[in-house]
Amino acid sequence: MMWIGLTGGIGCGKSQAAAFFRQLGVVVIDADAVNRELIDTPNSPAISLIQNDFGKAFIDSSGSLNRAAMRELIFTQPNAKTKLEQILHPLILQRIVLLQKEINSHQNYALVELPILRANSLFLHIIQRVLLIHCDENIRIKRVMQRNSFSEQQVKNIIANQPTDAERLALADDVIDNSGSLKDLQLAVERQHIIYQSLNK
Ligand SMILES: CC(C)(COP(=O)(O)OP(=O)(O)OC[C@H]1O[C@@H](n2cnc3c(N)ncnc32)[C@H](O)[C@@H]1O)[C@@H](O)C(=O)NCCC(=O)NCCS
Ligand SMILES: Nc1ncnc2c1ncn2[C@@H]1O[C@H](COP(=O)(O)OP(=O)(O)OP(=O)(O)O)[C@@H](O)[C@H]1O
């Protein structure tokens, strides 16, 4: 089984591309969903570690992470983001490795949706290839403002704390541009699927 990392900046269309791959019968593991499981589970090991390092103010009354407070902190204070990633990324990686072992797919490849992929990323150990979804920054900002009701400044703060286009391109084996319509994206995914099916045969 070939594992492909599906990556790209905020609002580039990773989840949308993942949905089109799933329609074709491709398995997709979503690192964001794995992370949510960790931080939305009251009093989980991740929550204890976060409470130790960040204090009770970031844990809500039900015992899970106060995501809005943590979002505001990490996207304005890079040190806090690094500290949070040092807690969560090894736990996310461990869970993804378990899920990878359990996958039973008739396809020759599967995807791991990974919002954050850098040259020194732990996640590079669990994939053999990288598919980048690229999209013009102004279009991404508009789409996210519509999707999340974030202000333009909030989206720009997140973009400023993510890898740059150049960093992402340097890691990519394949690139799909999602600056066009949803139909364009679906066709691009279908073309990429045919290419991936023909690899390793
Ligand atoms: C900061 C948190 C609590 C915000 O949660 P929330 O549900 O409000 O937002 P969501 O997870 O959808 O993230 C919002 C946007 O920020 C981006 N983002 C999330 N984490 C990071 C990060 N570490 N670096 C840069 N961008 C990030 C996401 O891709 C998304 O575009 C959450 O994203 C988190 O725990 N992040 C740290 C873990 C991580 O690095 N996750 C990425 C998957 S490996
Ligand atoms: N080609 C497109 N045309 C119009 N809207 C699109 C297109 N692609 C994606 N969208 C919309 O843009 C928004 C962002 O897309 P999506 O959620 O897939 O991005 P993402 O890369 O997963 O974002 P994040 O990193 O924040 O999780 C969504 O509301 C999605 O429906």
Side-chain angles (χ1 to χ4, degrees):
M1 169 78 73
M2 176 174 56
W3 284 96
I4 299 171
L6 174 65
T7 196
I10 181 169
C12 67
K14 292 179 295 296
S15 302
Q16 191 59 63
F20 288 139
F21 276 105
R22 284 194 180 103
Q23 279 176 21
L24 297 168
V26 178
V27 168
V28 184
I29 297 175
D30 177 0
D32 258 345
V34 168
N35 183 49
R36 289 265 166 94
E37 246 176 66
L38 298 172
I39 60 180
D40 284 352
T41 303
N43 311 315
S44 65
I47 293 294
S48 305
L49 292 168
I50 292 170
Q51 186 168 322
N52 280 347
D53 274 19
F54 291 88
K56 281 198 172 130
F58 291 91
I59 312 299
D60 66 24
S61 54
S62 70
S64 54
L65 184 68
N66 182 335
R67 288 204 248 124
M70 187 55 88
R71 205 174 52 229
E72 284 313 307
L73 178 77
I74 71 165
F75 295 124
T76 49
Q77 293 190 28
N79 290 344
K81 189 168 87 76
T82 305
K83 201 160 74 169
L84 183 67
E85 289 175 349
Q86 280 168 352
I87 294 172
L88 289 174
H89 285 190
L91 297 172
I92 297 170
L93 181 77
Q94 197 178 32
R95 179 80 186 122
I96 294 177
V97 168
L98 280 179
L99 292 172
Q100 283 181 314
K101 287 188 183 139
E102 287 169 5
I103 296 299
N104 188 4
S105 171
H106 63 280
Q107 301 281 352
N108 63 324
Y109 78 98
L111 299 170
V112 188
E113 189 180 335
L114 292 164
I116 301 307
L117 204 53
R118 291 197 162 85
N120 61 355
S121 175
L122 288 178
F123 299 107
L124 288 172
H125 296 296
I126 56 162
I127 54 176
Q128 287 81 53
R129 207 176 163 101
V130 174
L131 170 58
L132 172 66
I133 308 297
H134 177 80
C135 183
D136 178 85
E137 189 169 301
N138 291 323
I139 298 178
R140 288 161 52 205
I141 293 171
K142 280 203 192 94
R143 286 179 183 166
V144 174
M145 286 172 68
Q146 218 165 29
R147 185 193 62 185
N148 293 75
S149 322
F150 287 173
S151 69
E152 184 172 343
Q153 194 53 51
Q154 277 176 306
V155 187
K156 285 185 169 168
N157 285 348
I158 295 179
I159 288 176
N161 283 284
Q162 292 196 327
T164 60
D165 278 348
E167 283 177 277
R168 283 193 284 259
L169 275 168
L171 289 175
D173 297 286
D174 313 291
V175 181
I176 288 179
D177 190 297
N178 183 30
S179 307
S181 69
L182 283 173
K183 191 73 206 162
D184 293 337
L185 177 63
Q186 183 172 20
L187 290 173
V189 165
E190 284 169 6
R191 276 195 298 274
Q192 201 59 52
H193 177 59
I194 292 169
I195 295 170
Y196 287 150
Q197 283 184 311
S198 70
L199 296 176
N200 287 345
K201 276 200 172 152

